[in-house]
Amino acid sequence: MAKKAVVLFNLGGPDAPAAVEPFLFNLFYDPAIIRLPTPLRWLVAKLISRRRAPVAQEIYAFLGGSSPILPQTQAQAEALEHSLNDGADDLYKTFICMRYWHPFAGDVAREVKDWNPDEIILLPLYPQFSSTTSASSLKDWQRAARDVGLNAPTAGFCCYPTEAGLISAYAELIEPKLTQLQGKPFRLLFSAHGLPQKIVDAGDPYQWQVERTAEIVVGKLGVENLDWKVCYQSRVGPMKWLEPSTETEIHRAGEEGISLVIVPIAFVSEHSETLVELDIEYAKLAKEVGVDEYLRVNTVGVHVDFIAGLAAMVLKLSGKSIQSENGGRICPSGFKDCLMLAS
């Protein structure tokens, strides 16, 4: 029986009000986020985190002072471990690795080394690849593993934007909301975390993959003439970000006097961007601008289809490389940030 460690990567979040500023510093000090030389990046990260901390603390106050992302990820890890070990010939153990707050890659790499696995499987909880999320986490893990001397054979995933279990979970969560609005004019809004346009222009495939996820979900729903749109939330700073923004689409729905069903298409667990930005801030905006009804779909969380889909990917993984959901490159060749060099 082979021992296989499955490392789940996620963003992380502050676990107390005092952790908000250092969490933000870690986020903005990441060279994948702020693409400046180290001394200048440190200064910019320090300034941004100090300025944004009071506002962020107010946001996390709605959530009891901390982010729910770690306990939500723990629930996903437990569900996945159970699924993987159900009748398996090998022994699977899941580990959680956060990028910007505890548990950090260095600590997790030591835990994995102590468990002494025969193989390591890396699984970002970002269905759609971005250089700012999956690539950053995988690079950080490689550094941490090297630092602690963890050299077990390692493979993993860069992305799975159209994985069948993910798509099925989204569709099942969306359908009751559409039924609730039956007979009313409405639009299905797929809201994803935004990125600066210049990152996408430089070769990041995130937007392309988000649009593919939404397109496949719409196909799975099978609703004739469904009105749907992809939009982007959580813009920070003055630079141009992906468009249209979620705010713009809410205003448009208000002008048209229709209802909205909001789907957090790039989040697999609940956190401040869903529980505060979507549920409180955007819900308030929708009411102010005249949106008839505003319904928000839950994230896939521990939905049985989503967990089963992750387990199926892990079980069929072959080779010792980072690969997509189907083992080959899924992005068009123009996206140079894709980790898979071969078409």
Side-chain angles (χ1 to χ4, degrees), residues 8-11 30 32 97-100 105 122-126 130-144:
L8 305 180
F9 297 97
N10 213 328
L11 182 78
D30 183 353
C97 183
M98 296 298 189
R99 184 64 182 92
Y100 303 120
L122 309 179
L123 180 58
L125 289 175
Y126 308 107
S130 174
S131 57
T132 62
T133 53
S134 302
S136 176
S137 290
L138 292 170
K139 184 176 180 179
D140 189 47
W141 174 262
Q142 290 166 350
R143 173 203 56 78

Side-chain angles (χ1 to χ4, degrees), residues 8 69-80 94 96 98 103 302:
L8 305 180
I69 196 168
L70 180 56
Q72 296 236 340
T73 307
Q74 288 170 332
Q76 291 171 319
E78 291 170 6
L80 178 59
T94 55
I96 294 170
M98 296 298 189
V302 293

